[in-house]
């Protein structure tokens, strides 16, 4: 008892002293903050409401994290609402993705779409795996054949952390899909998973640049020697920042990232807003031909659509220059795409959204008789099956998503991607934050998400009466006009026929293909 009594007395005595010390420290701190606030001139609120005014900034910051949990409804948030994120999380964890008591999605919003189910849907035993597509069949010495439908869009090592890239690479291998490296170069972590890779060349030529920042053919050829590097993508623009290059804060440019990119350590990595060696359509086609010659692999480009006339002129020039200058694929990104740092004016106001641009680009390429040679990859907020299935029905051959796979890694949409403070360790190089992201476990979720997204697309396809996702077309979709009226997508925006002058193209056509097949 004496020991317990002494311990209690000691605790009370020193507890009281500690409390008084903390109280005194708090009073002194408040006094200092009060003096600072009333004498500073930069912040009106703090000057008029000293100390108390500081809470405004704290609440504003915390609101980014708590708004999505306590205030926003399931379909209210931007850029992704809770319903979309929740589906991605459940698919990645391979748990039940069904819902009850009706959809929370507004089913009568003008411009939205819905699919037309068939009276005789495809039975499970009649469903087939997505057909194989060959990219670069007519131009590349080493074409790429794949039956993947859903793939990982471009996200750079640097913008992403080491464990995030490792998890994505391993997960892509397990799912049998490709991963785009993003413009930050090819790191060992892209390669270690053993997945198929699309190497992206950005405006700064990271990973394949010389000391002056120009394309180095020897470095490019060395990159292409990796057997898992299947295609090369020239990035003209991306959804978050059309007309602006990549932006990586100096705090995220570690020695390893600097080595991968070929840039100084600790300095902001700001890519040019355009390729210095690509200033015209002719330059672009020449670059495609040059890169394909150096690498022997399929080459295409990525862009957010702005001027539709660009595609008309490009197709005309391809016919003049020949098949060797034709891109093997085009990745169409949406103006509302993007994962990283970007100026708000560009993110909010520049570029066409995928819903409008994708079918228009498909129409142009088809009308010029080039659809057979140019594969279309669709990107931009395609994180749930309905949106991805729409892109396939509009004419895309492949779907790529970046943020969908970030959700599979555990992204909580904290909007900290550009600050090196990502709480989930995905877009930060802070070791203390990275330690929560375990590549081996998260790679399973990456693969699960890819499988879940493909399965969901398949559900829609089979409901529409087709055997596999790529058989979806515009006749399976209706576009809502108002609460009581909708229009068939194929009537509003029909797929055009090949223009007569491009049906029999010398140097393009495969003689084994009939005229009837070329018209389709």
């Amino acid at each position: 008892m004496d020991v317990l009594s002494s311990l209690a007395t000691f605790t009370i005595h020193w507890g009281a002293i500690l409390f008084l010390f903390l109280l005194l420290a708090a009073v002194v701190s408040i006094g200092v903050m009060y003096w600072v606030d009333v004498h500073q001139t930069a912040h009106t609120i703090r000057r008029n409401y000293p100390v108390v005014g500081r809470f405004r900034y704290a609440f504003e910051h915390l609101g980014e994290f708590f708004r999505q949990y306590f205030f926003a409804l399931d379909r209210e948030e931007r850029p992704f609402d809770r319903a979309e994120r929740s589906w991605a999380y459940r698919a990645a964890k391979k748990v039940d993705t069904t819902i009850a008591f009706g959809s929370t999605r507004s089913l009568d919003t003008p411009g939205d779409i819905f699919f037309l189910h068939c009276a005789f849907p495809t039975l499970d035993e009649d469903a087939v795996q997505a057909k194989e597509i060959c990219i670069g069949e007519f131009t590349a010495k080493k074409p790429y054949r794949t039956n993947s439908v859903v793939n990982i869009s471009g996200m750079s090592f640097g913008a992403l952390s080491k464990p995030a890239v490792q998890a994505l690479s391993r997960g892509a291998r397990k799912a049998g899909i490709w991963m785009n490296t993003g413009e930050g170069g090819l790191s060992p972590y892209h390669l270690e998973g053993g997945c198929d890779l699309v190497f992206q060349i950005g405006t700064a030529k990271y990973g394949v640049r010389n000391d002056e920042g120009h394309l180095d053919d020897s470095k490019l050829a060395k990159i292409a020697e990796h057997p898992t590097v299947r295609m090369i993508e020239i990035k003209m623009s991306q959804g978050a920042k059309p007309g602006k290059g990549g932006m990586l804060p100096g705090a995220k440019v570690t020695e390893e990232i600097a080595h991968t990119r070929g840039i100084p350590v600790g300095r902001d990595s700001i890519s040019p807003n355009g390729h210095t060696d690509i200033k015209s359509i002719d330059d672009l086609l020449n670059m495609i031909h040059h890169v394909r010659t150096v690498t022997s692999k399929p080459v295409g480009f990525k862009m957010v659509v702005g001027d539709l006339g660009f595609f008309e002129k490009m197709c005309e020039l391809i016919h003049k220059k020949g098949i060797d200058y034709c891109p093997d694929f085009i990745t169409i990104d949406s103006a509302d795409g993007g994962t990283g740092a970007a100026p708000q004016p560009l993110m909010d106001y520049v570029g066409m959204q995928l819903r409008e641009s994708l079918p228009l680009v498909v129409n142009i390429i088809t009308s010029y008789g080039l659809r057979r040679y140019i594969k279309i990859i669709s990107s931009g907020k395609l994180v749930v099956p309905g949106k991805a299935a729409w892109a396939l029905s509009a004419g895309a051959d492949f779907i790529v998503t970046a943020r969908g796979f970030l959700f599979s890694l555990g992204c909580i949409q904290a909007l900290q991607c550009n600050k090196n403070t990502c709480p989930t360790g995905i877009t930060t190089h802070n070791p203390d934050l990275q330690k929560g992201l375990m590549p081996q476990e998260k790679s399973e979720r990456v693969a699960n998400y890819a499988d879940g997204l493909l399965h969901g697309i398949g559900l829609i396809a089979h409901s529409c009466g087709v055997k596999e996702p790529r058989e979806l077309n515009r006749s399976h979709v209706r576009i809502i006009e108002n609460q009581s009226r909708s229009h068939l997508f194929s009537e509003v925006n029909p797929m055009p026929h090949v223009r007569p002058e491009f049906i029999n193209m010398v140097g393009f056509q495969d003689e084994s293909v009939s005229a009837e097949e070329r018209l389709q």
Side-chain angles (χ1 to χ4, degrees), residues 159-162 252 420-422 425-430 433-434:
L160 297 188
S161 64
K162 168 185 171 180
K252 298 178 75 172
N420 205 32
T421 55
C422 171
I426 298 172
T427 62
T428 178
H429 298 286
N430 183 330
L433 294 174
Q434 287 185 3

Side-chain angles (χ1 to χ4, degrees), residues 164-330:
V165 174
Q166 290 175 314
L168 290 171
S169 176
R170 296 175 188 178
R173 171 67 175 178
K174 293 174 182 178
I177 63 177
W178 82 60
M179 176 185 181
N180 190 305
T181 65
E183 67 171 307
L186 181 67
S187 74
Y189 314 117
H190 289 108
L191 295 167
E192 74 173 38
C195 68
D196 288 347
L197 295 168
V198 177
F199 179 77
Q200 188 180 90
I201 301 176
T203 57
K205 309 294 194 295
Y206 292 133
V208 290
R209 57 188 272 142
N210 58 23
D211 293 338
E212 289 74 39
H214 300 139
L215 183 65
D216 186 316
D217 287 353
S218 61
K219 291 182 179 179
L220 177 60
K222 189 174 181 180
I223 291 288
E225 286 176 0
H226 291 285
T228 54
V229 174
R230 303 291 190 174
M231 302 193 294
I232 312 295
E233 180 180 79
I234 300 170
K235 191 188 84 167
M236 301 297 290
S237 60
Q238 68 184 82
K241 40 187 174 285
K244 182 71 176 179
M247 303 168 63
L248 186 67
K252 298 178 75 172
V253 183
T254 64
E255 184 173 343
E256 188 174 35
I257 291 165
H259 174 73
T260 300
R261 296 192 174 206
I263 57 175
V265 178
R267 289 172 54 180
D268 290 349
S269 179
I270 309 298
S271 303
N273 64 338
H275 290 267
T276 57
D277 49 0
I278 303 177
K279 296 182 179 180
S280 66
I281 297 174
D282 192 51
D283 288 343
L284 174 60
L285 299 184
N286 288 338
M287 178 61 76
I288 289 170
H289 174 65
H290 175 77
V291 172
R292 191 189 292 123
T293 300
V294 171
T295 65
S296 299
K297 296 187 176 180
V299 180
F301 64 90
K302 173 181 181 178
M303 67 163 28
V304 180
V305 177
D307 176 19
L308 284 170
F310 164 87
F311 291 94
E312 298 269 2
K313 295 173 184 175
M314 180 193 74
C315 290
E316 291 174 359
L317 190 55
I318 289 172
H319 282 293
K320 293 179 181 179
K321 295 174 75 69
I323 186 67
D324 289 338
Y325 293 84
C326 182
D328 297 305
F329 65 90
I330 299 175

